[in-house]
Structures are given as structure tokens and as C-alpha cells.
Amino acid sequence: MRQMMTAAALAAATALSCAGTAYATDLEVTHWWTSGGEAAAVAELAKAFDATGNKWVDGAIAGSGGTARPIMISRITGGDPMGATQFNHGRQAEELIQAGLMRDLTDVATKEKWTEVVRPKSLLDSCTVGGKIYCVPVNIHSWQWLWLSNEAFAKAGVPVPKNWDEYVAAAPALEKAGIVPLAVGGQAWQAAGAFDVLMMAVGGTDAFLKVNKDKDATFAAGPEIAKVFKAADAARKMAKNTNVQDWNQATNMVITGKAGGQIMGDWAQGEFQVAGKVAGKDYTCLPGLGMNATIATAGDAFYFPLLKDADKAKAQEVLAETLLDPKTQVAFNLKKGSLPVRGDVDLTAANDCMKKGLDILAKGSVIQWTDQLLSQDTQKQKEDLFSEFFAKQDLTVEEAQKRFAAIIAKAD
């Protein structure tokens, strides 16, 4: 009798266990987070999702978003969709949504009260098309940072700069010490991003918006943006001996003191962290290049292609909820170097640079970035131009500005 009762109890327990994980399944998630810091951060998302009884199947695609996005889009449009995929929240998935290939997450967002916890509001606005929410923003990434090697400046015998102008003035001393003043990798998006950051820092917020939001081609061809091109000319001269391709290789030059600095988004922080470097001691960060402490509310988000499999569709909902769980938000963003999208999480463990970002965010000194303001076609044209500009020192600033204004004139 006891054996029968034990067997019955075991069967009942098994049934309850199966009921609790009835929808547990593998879910492939594609992304382009492959550097050391990025891999550490994405591991936190995978761990949180696996804890739900489902299984994160990692679909990392080596290279930048420019390399990964066409592959992701091709799979979705070709009938081989993944369970979820990373994009930058903004206009990158616009055509997929319009084609009816992406899942509407409005019900999940309503149940989880995303509108009450996601900040700033523009993050969810960037996920919204036709009044429906199609993505889960997971972080606030800002491009507007200058990362400086304290070791490099000590070796060159000059103080660590407090702004872009001081940095440019220190370049000759860095070169004399055998240090590359500015590290800019060979990927086109790095050059274009650096120019956008210079526009914000040197030109100012109003100038940035006139060009990228208002698409004012006359202004883009005028004297205010000529100042930005002058700064970009200084940047390319400082960067001419970088000789690396990937952004994290350029970051490593700063980490090891081979380069004085790098204009790069706050995701660079993850690389410093993996290397065991301490903000404020080993390296210095200048939001807005020390000239305009404003950050963009851009970043990463996950989109969910429509799936026929009911279990995987349920797992998509679980993943969407997990990505915005407070504990997941803290664990992920501390590793990624980005800011959380929830305004109700504890970030006492934040380092010096993250605290600077949080302070700027709290003051409301935020702006939409080019991913949200310009189409992917326009972005690609800019990347082509600035890749050439940084690679070819004989491309004059006047000619480059003329070509840039022509791009803005046709921008959408």
C-alpha cells in the first residue's frame, strides 16, 4: 500500500511539475553582442530566462549591427524566424512591422505596466507603431562619451583633459610619447558615430536637431556645421595610426594605454570592467566630450517575430517579461555599461561613469539619437561618407560638408 501511495504521490508531483512548465521550450535569441563585456552582459539575460524553465539558445552573430541586421532580417523575411532578436529601438524594424512579420506586445506591456516603469517615455514611443508596442527596450545606450586612458596621459606628461579642446591640445604630447591620440576602428559606423557625437558636443543640441530632426540641408551646409567638420578633421588626424578594425579593439588600445582616448558609446564600459579597470582611477569618462553633458536615449531592444509554435509563442511572452524584470535590469546593465530603462531599480553598485549618466538622465538632459531620427538608408549614406572621410586625409572638409548636406537634403 505504501508503495502504491508513494507511486501515486510521485505521479501527482510529476503532473504538477509538468503543468508548471507546460510551455517550457528552447527559444533562439539572435544578437550582435560578442565582445568580452557584451558576452558577460548577455549571459545575465540568458541566466534569468533559463531560470523560468525555458532555455535561451544563443544566436550571437559576430560583427557589428551593420553585419548582423541583414542576416536577421533575411531570416525573418525568408520564413526562418528566430524566437527573438536584438535591434536598436527606433526605425530598424519598421519595414518588418509594416509587413506584418513581428509580434504585437501590447497585451504583455499592458499587463506588466511598462508605461509606468519605463523611462524616459521616448523609449516605448520608439517601440510603438500604429499605437501598438512591438519591442522591449532593455537599456539606455548613449554614444556621447569620450573615454580617456589616465596611464597614457601620465606617460605623455600632460594632465588628463577635461574637455575636447584640451584633448586636441594634448595630442602632440601623446604622439611624441608614441601613443595614438584617438582610437577609431575601421568599421564605418564608428566614424559616422564619432562625427554625430562631435556635432552634439561642438555644434550643440540645437544644431544637432536642426540637421537630424528637421533635415535642414541649408543649415547643414552652413558655418555652424563647418565648425563640426573642423573638429572632425582634427579627430581624423589624431586617429590616423589606429590600425584596428573592431570597436572593442580600439577600446583595448585605451585600456592598455596605447591610445589616449576613444569616442564611443557607454558600452565601452563593459570592456573596461572585464579588464578590471576602475572608473575615475584607471580611466576617465567625459559625457558630451566635456562640452555638452547631454545623452541620447537610444539603446537596445528585443523584437519578437511571429511564430506558429504555441509553446514558443508563450516563451516569447515569458522572455519579454523577464527582460524588464528589475533584477534582470540591474544585473544586465551593470555588466553592459548602459543605464536601465526602469526608473525603480537600485543601482547603488553603479560606478563613477554610470553615476554621471544617471545624473544626466535625472536632470532630463536627454535627446533622441540618429537611429530614431533617420532612416537606415540615410544612416548608411552617412556611414559611407565618414568612413571615406576618416580613411582619406585628402578628402577636404569643404567637399565632405557639401556631400553631407546633400545627404541631409534627401534624408527621411
Side-chain angles (χ1 to χ4, degrees):
M1 176 67 72
R2 171 172 288 191
Q3 288 179 333
M4 291 177 62
M5 289 179 64
T6 302
L10 180 60
T14 301
L16 284 171
S17 175
C18 289
T21 58
Y23 296 104
T25 187
D26 292 352
L27 199 69
E28 183 190 10
V29 185
T30 55
H31 58 86
W32 57 80
W33 290 326
T34 56
S35 74
E38 290 173 330
V42 78
E44 295 293 340
L45 299 183
K47 182 170 67 175
F49 184 60
D50 289 352
T52 69
N54 294 284
K55 177 64 177 177
W56 175 292
V57 178
D58 201 68
I61 300 173
S64 66
T67 301
R69 277 191 298 272
I71 298 172
M72 297 166 173
I73 292 169
S74 179
R75 283 190 54 184
I76 296 169
T77 57
D80 180 29
M82 62 295 290
T85 188
Q86 170 206 6
F87 285 121
N88 300 120
H89 46 68
R91 300 180 62 180
Q92 291 177 357
E94 197 170 64
E95 293 182 0
L96 293 173
I97 293 169
Q98 292 169 350
L101 296 172
M102 306 305 280
R103 181 170 177 172
D104 174 8
L105 299 173
T106 306
D107 289 346
V108 179
T110 300
K111 185 181 73 170
E112 296 294 310
K113 299 179 180 179
W114 290 356
T115 57
E116 296 179 18
V117 297
V118 174
R119 58 87 193 258
K121 181 178 176 292
S122 60
L123 295 175
L124 272 184
D125 289 344
S126 293
C127 288
T128 304
V129 178
K132 297 178 180 180
I133 296 173
Y134 286 92
C135 71
V136 185
V138 293
N139 58 18
I140 300 170
H141 260 322
S142 49
W143 244 106
Q144 305 74 34
W145 296 83
L146 176 60
W147 306 94
L148 300 170
S149 167
N150 292 1
E151 175 190 345
F153 285 94
K155 182 179 177 181
V158 292
V160 176
K162 295 182 176 62
N163 57 52
W164 174 257
D165 291 337
E166 290 184 7
Y167 180 40
V168 174
L174 291 168
E175 289 181 322
K176 186 177 180 180
I179 298 167
V180 174
L182 176 66
V184 179
Q187 295 162 321
W189 64 269
Q190 295 182 57
F195 178 83
D196 289 336
V197 174
L198 286 166
M199 188 183 298
M200 268 284 288
V202 177
T205 303
D206 289 343
F208 179 86
L209 291 175
K210 274 182 176 293
V211 172
N212 294 293
K213 185 177 181 180
D214 300 338
K215 319 295 194 293
D216 189 333
T218 301
F219 184 83
E224 293 301 313
I225 303 304
K227 296 177 185 176
V228 179
F229 272 91
K230 183 179 179 181
D233 185 43
R236 68 175 173 175
K237 290 173 181 174
M238 293 165 66
K240 65 177 182 285
N241 293 318
T242 300
N243 296 326
V244 299
Q245 185 71 9
D246 296 337
W247 71 269
N248 52 305
Q249 292 175 318
T251 304
N252 187 255
M253 291 179 67
V254 182
I255 291 171
T256 57
K258 294 177 182 177
Q262 178 189 28
I263 297 174
M264 186 51 60
D266 53 9
W267 49 89
Q269 259 193 111
E271 303 304 300
F272 284 98
Q273 184 168 306
V274 167
K277 301 299 182 181
V278 178
K281 176 186 175 184
D282 300 310
Y283 66 97
T284 297
C285 54
L286 298 180
L289 310 191
M291 301 178 76
N292 181 9
T294 300
I295 61 174
T297 52
D300 300 296
F302 281 90
Y303 290 76
F304 297 80
L306 284 172
L307 299 179
K308 295 179 181 178
D309 186 300
D311 288 353
K312 291 188 184 296
K314 180 61 180 177
Q316 286 180 320
E317 294 180 17
V318 175
L319 177 56
E321 294 170 3
T322 302
L323 292 170
L324 277 181
D325 178 83
K327 291 182 179 178
T328 307
Q329 277 282 294
V330 172
F332 170 72
N333 283 292
L334 285 177
K335 293 282 178 67
K336 192 71 168 63
S338 48
L339 302 179
V341 300
R342 293 189 66 120
D344 58 351
V345 295
D346 180 12
L347 278 173
T348 53
N351 67 21
D352 180 64
C353 294
M354 187 177 284
K355 286 176 181 176
K356 288 181 181 179
L358 289 168
D359 182 59
I360 293 169
L361 189 63
K363 291 177 180 176
S365 300
V366 297
I367 190 173
Q368 287 185 310
W369 201 236
T370 54
D371 281 329
Q372 297 157 297
L373 299 172
L374 300 172
S375 70
Q376 285 303 291
D377 180 61
T378 300
Q379 290 279 72
K380 181 63 168 60
Q381 292 177 56
K382 284 175 54 192
E383 288 181 2
D384 290 344
L385 170 61
F386 289 108
S387 176
E388 182 182 353
F389 181 75
F390 271 76
K392 296 181 179 180
Q393 300 286 325
D394 59 349
L395 174 55
T396 68
V397 293
E398 292 80 12
E399 175 61 22
Q401 184 176 4
K402 181 180 178 181
R403 287 169 57 181
F404 176 67
I407 292 171
I408 296 303
K410 298 178 181 178
D412 57 355

